[in-house]
Structures are given as structure tokens and as C-alpha cells.
Amino acid sequence: MFEGVLPAIITPFFRDSNMSLDLEGLESNIESLLQRGVHGIVPCGSTGESATLTFEEHETVIAKTVEVVDGRVPVLAGTGSNSTAEAIRLTRSANDVGADGALIISPYYNKPNRSGLIKHFTKLADIDLPVVMYNVPGRTAQNLQPDLVAELAEHPNIVGIKEASGDITQISRIIEETQDDDFSVLSGDDAMTLPILALGGAGVISVVANVEPGLMVEMYESFSAGDLARAQDLHYNLSPLMRAMFIDTNPIPVKKAVELLGMAGGPLRLPLDDLDAPRTELLKGVLAAYGH
């Protein structure tokens, strides 16, 4: 269900006292991505500053995304939380407005035990909306182990995982242990996309695709067509941009990048702050190399 290049989209805000949602800008950004051939849209993830959206804003962004996409590609809505009850609320709301799936981060800060993780993901999957788990130990302080992922993959509504552990051995084992299931492993790190595809992964939930969706799509489609040489060329072509997106905490660099490209961006909500001047100049230089 979820494969290819799925941009984890930013949430644009106005530069007003409330940093209110820029829904027209959101629509414009999504249309631009769809015109460049992306295979899905992921609102309200880490890149979308989900942690500082109110419940109402979170639900509004997902509903607006579903409306704009209008069935052209799948919408995988970020609905996770470190509170199971909050995640249930957001996931039910996403289901009600017609999202195609829910991206559920493993609970951060709490560090639940194994049985707690199983119950958390199972309760969310029981809502009857396809669930993609999200493993990002750098943000959650906890790693979803391959045997746990394989056990959860047996649930019919748990259809994949976004893997951002950075551990290629672990990712290989997850793919190995879920080969018999209808289960997709998606890269959560742009730089790991090609290696994960080579192991049998299904695609990437991408930060870079906010800036260069066409090249990311071409890399994926070249690999899928068996043109590994072209896919490798594109991987190395994109590598400086992949690195540039993480010269500061995501989504600080990508939000600055899209604004430099004339797309809707706006400020970041505290505790994140704008990219500093030296890094902004560095980012401008990288973007210039891509014709921007």
C-alpha cells in the first residue's frame, strides 16, 4: 500500500503572533509535490512539527491534506503520541476524514516495556486504519527490535515500518523476518534509501523530497526499473542535499530551504528556532548546486 517516495511534509505557518496555520500555503506545497510525481504524502510527522501542533491544528492539517490530495496518492497521517489515549484520538480523527493510513511513532520519553509496546500498537491497529510503525531511537530513546516488529507485523492492520535506526543490519533482519507478511519497510533516512531498497525495502518517507521531489522519485523509479547505475548516480547527486537537511535539527533546515525556494514555510515554533546565519549561507550554497 505504501511504497515509493512519500514526502514528510512541513507545516507552514504565518509569521503572525500566533504562528497560525497557512492552509493555502499547505495546499500549494502539496500540489507542487504531486506534480513532481511523489507516491504519497505524510502530514504531521516530525518534519511537520507535530509535537507543537494543538489537537485541533493536527486534525485540521490532516483533513486539509486528504482534501487536497483527493485520492491521487495515499495519505499516511502522523498520529502518534507518547500517550496511547492521545494517539487513539488522532488516529480515529484521521480515519474519519479519509486518511489511508496512520504513521505511529513508538512512544517517546515513557520508554514502555515490551508488553506495553505491543498493547499500544495493537490498540491503534484495532481502529481498522492501516498502521505504519515509526522507529526512530534518536528521538524516542527506545529501539523497536526486529523480533518485536515481526510479532506486531502479524496484526492484519500493521502494514509497515518507517525505519530510522540507522542500523542496516537491523533493517535487513526486519525485512528478512517479515518477508511472508504483507508488510513494507520504508526508509526513515534519505541517505539510507538506496541500501534499503537493495535489501527489499519499499521506499522512503523523505525529508529531501520537500526540496527535490523529482530527483528522489527518479532514483526510486530507476532502481525499480532495474537501472542500478542510474539510481546510484542519483543517490550520490543527492547526497550533499541529504546531508544539508541535517545540518541542524529536522525540520529546521528543510523549512528554511523550502522558504528559500519560494514555497510556503514560515517560522518554526519554539523550542525549535530558525537556522542561524552561517548555516543558512551553507544551505544556500548547496541549493545553488541544484539550480536553485
Side-chain angles (χ1 to χ4, degrees), residues 13 15 25 28 61 68 77 122 126 147 153 160 163 179 182 192 196 208 227 237 240 242 246 254 258 270:
F13 301 125
R15 292 189 181 275
S28 176
V61 170
V68 173
T122 299
D126 286 345
D147 62 325
E163 240 296 342
Q179 287 183 91
D182 187 12
M192 295 281 280
I196 289 173
V208 169
D227 190 349
N237 180 295
M242 292 173 180
F246 293 92
V254 68
V258 300
L270 291 171

Side-chain angles (χ1 to χ4, degrees), residues 64-76:
K64 183 65 173 180
T65 301
V66 171
E67 175 193 329
V68 173
V69 171
D70 194 25
R72 287 176 283 179
V73 297
V75 174
L76 180 61

Side-chain angles (χ1 to χ4, degrees), residues 50-62:
S50 59
T52 52
L53 297 176
T54 67
F55 281 119
E56 292 74 18
E57 288 173 328
H58 199 128
E59 292 164 351
T60 296
V61 170
I62 292 171

Side-chain angles (χ1 to χ4, degrees), residues 118-137:
I118 290 171
K119 289 177 181 177
H120 176 80
F121 283 110
T122 299
K123 279 183 175 291
L124 292 162
D126 286 345
I127 292 171
D128 206 26
L129 183 66
V131 165
V132 175
M133 300 177 288
Y134 179 16
N135 186 37
V136 56

Side-chain angles (χ1 to χ4, degrees), residues 261-285:
L261 297 180
M263 298 168 65
L268 294 121
R269 286 184 174 173
L270 291 171
L272 298 181
D273 199 8
D274 288 338
L275 197 65
D276 63 25
R279 289 188 178 102
T280 297
E281 290 306 308
L282 174 62
L283 181 59
K284 286 178 178 178

